[in-house]
Amino acid sequence: MKITILNGNSDNRKFDDYRNNLVKMLKLSDNSVAHFKLKEMEIRHCRGCFGCWLKTPGQCIYKDDSHAICREVINSDFVLFAAPLVMGFPSAVLKIAMDKLIPLLLPYIELVDNKECHHEKRYDKEYPLIGLLIEKGDDTDSEDIEIVSDIFVRFAIDFRTSSRFVMQTDIPVQEVSDEINRI
Amino acid sequence: MKLTVFNGSPRGKKSNTAILLEHFLKGFMETEGNSYELEYIVNNKDVGELVEMFKDANNVILAFPLYTGCMSGIVKSFVESLKPLYGKQDNPSVGFMVQGGFPEAYQSRFVERYLEKLAKRLNCQYLGCIVKGGIEGIQGKPQFMTQKFFYYFYELGKVYGKSGKFDEEMLKNLAKPEHLSVLGRLFYKFARLTGMANIHWNKQLKENKAFEKRFDRPFT
């Protein structure tokens, strides 16, 4: 299986160790893994200019590292979004990269499940399934986890796929790896 | 009453968020003695300055567009920069304004829960969240399509300027439609089938000489 990991960690060593172990384990079970350390990459935040829909359809008008990310993501079977929670939500580093995935959609809008407006897919294929790996902060409670999980499900709907899990780094790495291998 | 407003739109001064705020603030200023300062998160290189502004404020409104069902990355950066204010006793009251491109207010309800929790985290009195969908493209729409909800923003601002509170009933009315009605769904399906729904986008694609490339798939 082809897996892309978008790693939104900024300065948390424990989280880095956890995620590195996960990458190792996933590779051992014959997955190909593209692992993006977002903090070290050049990703300009989305300006809402819609250039990626209306000027250079399918790619951000700025030639930053979001192009490489979009390429890997759309060609993956599974995408893992990973970040510690900061102020009760995955890091801004991760969210800035997530905002830059909209070139994978079209500007056109359709009703999903005959119910809600969302953008159409640009690519004629099943979009990668997604999962979220988070590390709790000192201030995280169960309500935060619920809010984050629900918002992630909304992101999945926007991205025309479905969320397979939201997992926390307080369980053994093996369990996360097993969960991904079951997909 | 003194108000500090943060516009979290990546489009800054040219944003739809700015237009909605303009109507809200016009209402707010109807009460004598009221004043406000307005800052654009996107323009601000020095986050510390924004944090100082937040810290010194009595009343804050944070307004932003919905980005894939949530706040955008730059708004999240701003929120993270407020971490030093954790647990302070005299943080300002906060209210939020979230506007979405899709018509349903429902799409903004999830981030609304996050925002309420955020206020609690920061020990801020939570005033509520103004939610309005269907905002993308308003700058090209004829007046008769926008004047009603612009008026709502004005009225909300007016009541807020007097009482320091958001009027629940007005919030509910402004938010409509919460979901698409059966008729609304039919309308959207019809608009899509006839291509009417795409006119707005296609016109711009043609202006940009990118119409032929609109379905490009550069990454396969």
Side-chain angles (χ1 to χ4, degrees), chain A residues 111, chain B residues 103 145 180-194 196-197:
Chain A
L111 286 186
Chain B
M145 289 177 84
L180 284 184
S181 63
V182 174
L183 205 65
R185 290 180 210 175
L186 271 174
F187 170 78
Y188 268 89
K189 272 194 243 173
F190 175 78
R192 186 164 174 267
L193 275 175
T194 56
M196 212 167 81

Side-chain angles (χ1 to χ4, degrees), chain B residues 21-186:
Chain B
L21 277 173
E22 192 188 308
H23 291 276
F24 180 86
L25 290 170
K26 205 169 132 200
F28 173 79
M29 291 303 284
E30 296 286 2
T31 301
E32 215 174 307
N34 278 0
S35 66
Y36 69 87
E37 51 180 350
L38 172 61
E39 195 54 66
Y40 297 88
I41 291 174
V42 72
N43 294 344
N44 225 289
K45 293 274 186 298
D46 181 9
V47 180
E49 234 171 79
L50 294 182
V51 178
E52 281 301 307
M53 274 178 75
F54 190 97
K55 205 171 110 190
D56 295 340
N58 297 319
N59 309 286
V60 163
I61 302 256
L62 170 60
F64 60 85
L66 195 68
Y67 260 52
T68 59
C70 194
M71 70 213 119
S72 68
I74 62 161
V75 171
K76 180 67 207 315
S77 296
F78 171 66
V79 167
E80 289 184 8
S81 70
L82 298 177
K83 212 175 170 188
L85 307 185
Y86 236 110
K88 270 183 77 242
Q89 290 307 311
D90 56 347
N91 281 333
S93 75
V94 289
F96 299 93
M97 185 191 287
V98 179
Q99 56 93 355
F102 298 134
E104 310 96 335
Y106 177 75
Q107 307 225 23
S108 299
R109 295 302 179 197
F110 300 84
V111 72
E112 182 182 11
R113 277 163 56 202
Y114 173 76
L115 296 170
E116 182 169 3
K117 186 71 188 282
L118 175 66
K120 209 159 136 195
R121 266 199 155 72
L122 287 168
N123 243 332
C124 294
Q125 188 201 343
Y126 175 67
L127 298 179
C129 186
I130 305 170
V131 167
K132 183 69 189 158
I135 293 300
E136 188 51 46
I138 54 165
Q139 300 195 34
K141 277 186 183 159
Q143 204 189 352
F144 76 90
M145 289 177 84
T146 53
Q147 63 186 13
K148 190 174 157 199
F149 72 80
F150 281 171
Y151 183 69
Y152 270 119
F153 276 92
Y154 168 81
E155 280 292 320
L156 265 166
K158 198 165 145 188
V159 171
Y160 173 69
K162 246 188 251 167
S163 66
K165 300 223 159 36
F166 290 168
D167 184 290
E168 290 288 331
E169 203 54 36
M170 279 185 202
L171 286 184
K172 229 185 267 168
N173 284 328
L174 174 70
K176 284 174 190 169
E178 187 66 28
H179 296 275
L180 284 184
S181 63
V182 174
L183 205 65
R185 290 180 210 175
L186 271 174

Side-chain angles (χ1 to χ4, degrees), chain A residues 98-114:
Chain A
M98 288 167 89
D99 292 346
K100 298 274 292 213
L101 295 175
I102 66 155
L104 299 177
L105 302 169
L106 292 169
Y108 307 126
I109 292 169
E110 64 184 344
L111 286 186
V112 171
D113 296 334
N114 192 24

